[in-house]
Amino acid sequence: MSYETLYSAINLAVMPAWLLLALLPKSDITKKLVHSGIYPVLFGAFYLVLWVRALAFGENAEGGGFATLETIMIAFSHPNVTLMGWAHYLVFDLFVGAWIGRDAVARGVNHFLVIPCLAFAFLAGPIGLLLYLLIRQFTGKCNALTLEERAG
């Protein structure tokens, strides 16, 4: 399978999770699919395969590494490493989006305010998280939750 095909496949694979977070935040299917850990496990396994290919089978760029900006740029010039990086972004941005979704439901944050946060978390994870934390602060929904409230 080509790197381009894998890239398209992993992009498509996360879309149902983001749609569920935005459209059905309290549904059982969202809880079972998005909040269960299935996505991090599947993407983690995918990432591990790419990582093994890079380290054990030479699917990386000569001179690439993580010691300097220059070596990182060289590393990401190989499609296997770039795909690793993209999978990393996808799973961690979704992890943040799922956390935002769970936290918003537990705290009673208006879902119409959460949707832009999810959109930004999908497109630029840290901005979505920042926006959500600001909304939580300005709406007074930043108080500590009890264990019962966290459990839903």
Side-chain angles (χ1 to χ4, degrees):
M1 189 176 296
S2 75
Y3 288 114
E4 193 64 41
T5 301
L6 288 171
Y7 173 80
S8 296
I10 64 172
N11 280 321
L12 287 173
V14 298
M15 291 310 297
W18 285 105
L19 290 171
L20 288 169
L21 285 170
L23 302 176
L24 300 169
K26 297 178 184 178
S27 77
D28 285 340
I29 188 71
T30 304
K31 290 176 188 173
K32 290 177 183 170
L33 187 63
V34 181
H35 300 301
S36 68
I38 289 172
Y39 273 93
V41 167
L42 293 176
F43 275 76
F46 177 73
Y47 184 91
L48 179 61
V49 168
L50 295 173
W51 188 72
V52 168
R53 287 171 50 112
L55 293 180
F57 300 104
E59 292 290 321
N60 56 43
E62 183 72 32
F66 297 101
T68 66
L69 180 58
E70 183 179 347
T71 59
I72 289 172
M73 290 169 53
I74 292 168
F76 278 97
S77 71
H78 193 283
N80 187 69
V81 179
T82 303
L83 196 55
M84 282 175 57
W86 190 244
H88 187 280
Y89 276 115
L90 289 177
V91 73
F92 276 94
D93 285 353
L94 181 57
F95 188 84
V96 168
W99 178 84
I100 289 169
R102 284 190 307 277
D103 190 74
V105 167
R107 293 175 185 278
V109 177
N110 183 313
H111 190 66
F112 288 109
L113 297 175
V114 175
I115 291 172
C117 302
L118 292 173
F120 274 108
F122 173 64
L123 298 171
I127 295 172
L129 178 59
L130 175 63
L131 180 60
Y132 174 69
L133 293 173
L134 289 172
I135 286 172
R136 210 174 75 165
Q137 181 69 36
F138 289 117
T139 60
K141 302 288 185 174
C142 58
N143 59 320
L145 296 177
T146 66
L147 290 176
E148 294 80 21
E149 289 170 321
R150 286 185 189 277

